[in-house]
């Protein structure tokens, strides 16, 4: 049983470009959350998807957008990249959306470097 | 919104010693407090959690305590081993969303 997977592992972009990161949740999970982890910091919540809709959103600009597909996999899109967007982007999957706590399982992350 | 403070940022101990990491939170409505361990280059993994209806929880060498009145919670690791070396994150969340707000992390170094 595969856990949470993310692709790509590493990515280098230049300022102003756009990027798409992908996440496949753990088998049986239907909820995907995205986090940004800057170097030396804790993960910061970007948004959560459940039933193909954005259910919760953190304090991130609308340059950050996402999507969830019918098979529960998800994408994170970032437009007009800034140097400050360089970070490890973590995807976490869980079961049942919001309203009750179920353990989040993290993926290995995508390391994004913006030059 | 919730704010989680975590101390210390770095903790260096000798193998066999105990380690304590402390966190405070701001939102009195928070009722779920997970702790994650992140080894270098790896994903965060849940190691223990505590809900607001209990004051302490233990799992082998790891324990977590919660003081709701003071709004602080702590992670205790006894008989530390070199493989305990990692960054530890505390987090706080509450019912309705259970989206965790993370602390900034504590780098624990256990010297053999």
């Amino acid at each position: 049983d595969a856990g949470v997977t993310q692709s790509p592992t590493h990515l280098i972009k230049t300022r102003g470009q756009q990027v798409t990161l992908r996440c496949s949740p753990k088998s049986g999970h239907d909820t995907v959350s995205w986090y940004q982890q800057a170097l030396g910091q804790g993960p910061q919540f970007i948004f959560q998807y459940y039933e193909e809709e954005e259910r919760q959103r953190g304090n991130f600009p609308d340059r950050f957008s996402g999507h969830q597909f019918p098979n529960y996999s998800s994408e994170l899109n970032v437009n007009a990249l800034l140097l400050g967007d360089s970070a490890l982007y973590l995807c976490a999957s869980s079961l049942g959306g919001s309203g009750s706590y179920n353990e989040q399982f993290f993926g290995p992350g995508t390391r994004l470097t913006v030059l | 919104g919730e704010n989680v403070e975590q101390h210390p940022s770095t903790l260096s101990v000798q193998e066999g010693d105990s380690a304590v990491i402390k966190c405070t939170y701001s939102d009195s409505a928070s009722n779920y407090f997970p702790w994650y361990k992140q080894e270098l280059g790896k994903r965060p993994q849940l190691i223990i959690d505590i809900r607001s209806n209990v004051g302490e929880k233990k799992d082998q060498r790891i324990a977590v305590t919660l003081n709701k009145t003071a709004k602080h919670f702590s992670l205790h690791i006894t008989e530390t081993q070199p493989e305990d070396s990692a960054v530890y994150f505390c987090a706080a969340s509450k019912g309705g969303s259970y989206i965790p707000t993370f602390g900034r992390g504590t780098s624990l170094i256990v010297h053999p």
Side-chain angles (χ1 to χ4, degrees), chain A residues 1-71:
Chain A
D1 173 32
V4 182
T5 60
Q6 292 186 243
S7 63
T9 305
H10 295 87
L11 204 51
I12 299 175
K13 292 286 188 178
T14 56
R15 282 177 297 175
Q17 285 190 310
Q18 178 265 343
V19 68
T20 297
L21 311 181
R22 296 176 176 82
C23 171
S24 291
K26 181 178 169 66
S27 178
H29 284 183
D30 57 7
T31 303
V32 174
S33 302
W34 286 92
Y35 295 83
Q36 180 193 68
Q37 186 176 21
L39 199 61
Q41 305 287 324
Q44 283 198 300
F45 174 70
I46 303 175
F47 42 54
Q48 181 184 82
Y49 277 84
Y50 174 64
E51 294 186 338
E52 301 181 52
E53 291 186 359
E54 183 183 293
R55 287 300 185 92
Q56 300 284 338
R57 189 178 181 91
N59 188 26
F60 279 80
D62 57 12
R63 296 188 297 111
F64 291 76
S65 63
H67 188 77
Q68 185 178 36
F69 299 93
N71 66 353

Side-chain angles (χ1 to χ4, degrees), chain A residues 4 25-33 35 48 91-97 100-107, chain B residues 32 34-37 43-49 51 57 59 93 97-100 102:
Chain A
V4 182
K26 181 178 169 66
S27 178
H29 284 183
D30 57 7
T31 303
V32 174
S33 302
Y35 295 83
Q48 181 184 82
C91 163
S93 76
S94 57
L95 182 62
S100 63
Y101 186 80
N102 290 292
E103 181 181 348
Q104 294 193 2
F105 290 80
F106 283 89
Chain B
Y32 178 74
W35 286 85
Y36 290 86
K37 176 183 181 182
R43 70 193 75 191
Q45 290 193 301
L46 180 71
I47 56 171
I48 195 167
D49 56 14
R51 298 180 190 271
K57 183 177 179 179
D59 183 3
S93 64
S97 69
Y98 286 102
I99 302 298
F102 286 85

